[in-house]
Amino acid sequence: GGALGLVAQEQPEDFSGRGGRLGSVSEIEDVEDQSRTQAIGKAISKGLVGLAVGTFLGYCAYSGQRPDEAVAAIMAADPQQFLKDAIVYIDSLGPLGYLYFSAIYVVAEMLAIPAIPLTASAGYLFGVPMGTAVVLVSATIAAGAAFLVRRLCLRRV
């Protein structure tokens, strides 16, 4: 106590961000949920980076190029020409072409590469009804994946 008999009381630590008392149970649960979501987002980000590095190193091993040569080759590649070449290859795959086409379409959409050549060629490759179905499914998967990447990996807190 002091001269006036006042006793200093310890305040509980404030987690609410309002400068007041400890938040309610629901506020604490919200903070825990955000922490869990951040941890999941970080784990997914690390996994995607690991996948990208592994794919790059696999490409280097497969092509016999040094990493600096592979980077130069990738930077010089034309995405539109790659898509046109992929259409010819997909046509030669037969039934497996649906899956391969869908994978390329999803990646193109996720990387914001114009997929117009793929969309237009789907009808030619698979027929109009099946081509439309493959494009719709692929575009929906790409939109969902882009949403999840944004939501889990690129969200600022």
Side-chain angles (χ1 to χ4, degrees):
L4 298 175
L6 297 175
V7 177
Q9 293 181 346
E10 216 175 286
Q11 294 292 324
E13 193 172 346
D14 177 28
F15 294 109
S16 68
R18 296 183 309 232
R21 293 184 1 193
L22 184 62
S24 69
V25 173
S26 66
E27 289 173 336
I28 293 171
E29 288 172 351
D30 288 344
V31 169
E32 290 173 353
D33 286 343
Q34 287 177 353
S35 297
R36 192 174 307 117
T37 301
Q38 288 174 352
I40 291 169
K42 287 180 183 178
I44 290 173
S45 296
K46 289 178 182 178
L48 290 174
V49 168
L51 180 63
V53 169
T55 301
F56 177 72
L57 293 176
Y59 173 77
C60 290
Y62 176 74
S63 67
Q65 294 177 327
R66 294 189 331 252
D68 60 330
E69 294 172 338
V71 168
I74 291 169
M75 296 300 285
D78 179 22
Q80 294 293 332
Q81 185 61 43
F82 170 76
L83 293 178
K84 290 175 185 175
D85 293 341
I87 291 168
V88 173
Y89 179 69
I90 290 168
D91 193 32
S92 70
L93 288 177
L96 190 58
Y98 296 115
L99 183 62
Y100 192 76
F101 180 90
S102 183
I104 290 176
Y105 195 95
V106 168
V107 170
E109 287 291 320
M110 293 282 298
L111 296 176
I113 297 171
I116 291 173
L118 287 175
T119 303
S121 65
Y124 170 75
L125 288 171
F126 308 121
V128 174
M130 187 56 104
T132 301
V134 170
V135 166
L136 286 174
V137 169
S138 301
T140 302
I141 291 170
F147 171 79
L148 289 174
V149 167
R150 166 66 176 97
R151 176 80 178 196
L152 297 174
C153 302
L154 303 176
R155 183 167 102 175
R156 288 189 173 196
V157 178

